[in-house]
Amino acid sequence: QVHLVESGGGLVQAGGSLRLSCAASARTFSMYAMGWFRQAPGKEREFVAAISWSGGNTYYADSVKGRFTISRDNAKNTVYLQMNSLKPEDTAVYYCAAQNFPRIATMMRDGYEYDYWGQGTQVTVSS
C-alpha cells in the first residue's frame, strides 16, 4: 500500500506560479511511475502530467505543455509539479497518483492505470 499526500495548492493570480508536491510513503517509491491529474467543478478528471520511475520520460497534456514541469526526487520520495503562467482554467483539485508496476507509455495518461491516489490539493487561479 502506498500513501500519497499532496501539498502546495492555494490561490494565485493569473500569470503566477505554484509548485505542488506529492510525498509518498512507499519504501520502493523509485519503482513507481507517477502522475498528476486534476478535476474542476462539474468536469471529469483529466490528465496533467506523468513521469517514469527513473524520471527519464515525462508526459504532458497539451493544455499545460510548456507551462508545467513534472519532476521527482527519489531520495525524498517526492514528485513535484511546477506550474508557471497559470490561467483561470487551471483552477481545479490536483491529485497525484502512482502506478505499482510499469505500463507502456500510452497508459501513462489514463487515470484507470494508476493504483494509488492522494486526497488532492486545491489550486485556484484568479483572473
Side-chain angles (χ1 to χ4, degrees):
Q1 187 71 19
V2 177
H3 187 53
L4 303 173
V5 179
E6 302 97 333
S7 61
L11 173 64
V12 64
Q13 289 188 333
S17 298
L18 283 174
R19 188 175 82 155
L20 304 184
S21 299
C22 174
S25 63
R27 289 181 296 172
T28 55
F29 173 77
S30 62
M31 297 175 62
Y32 294 81
M34 301 293 295
W36 286 97
F37 292 78
R38 67 187 182 187
Q39 188 167 20
K43 295 187 177 181
E44 294 187 353
R45 181 183 65 197
E46 65 173 354
F47 168 77
V48 175
I51 188 166
S52 62
W53 65 271
S54 67
N57 294 297
T58 57
Y59 311 84
Y60 295 95
D62 288 343
S63 59
V64 307
K65 198 173 295 183
R67 300 188 297 123
F68 291 11
T69 302
I70 189 171
S71 62
R72 66 190 297 159
D73 185 338
N74 287 341
K76 295 183 178 179
N77 280 17
T78 303
V79 63
Y80 304 97
L81 185 68
Q82 177 67 44
M83 306 186 295
N84 298 330
S85 302
L86 282 161
K87 305 174 181 179
E89 50 264 44
D90 294 318
T91 295
V93 177
Y94 283 70
Y95 300 90
C96 75
Q99 293 181 340
N100 66 358
F101 66 89
R103 269 84 157 181
I104 60 176
T106 54
M107 293 181 176
M108 298 292 284
R109 301 171 183 269
D110 185 349
Y112 291 102
E113 296 297 331
Y114 287 78
D115 305 288
Y116 305 104
W117 292 83
Q119 82 291 347
T121 185
Q122 176 71 47
V123 171
T124 303
V125 184
S126 63
S127 57

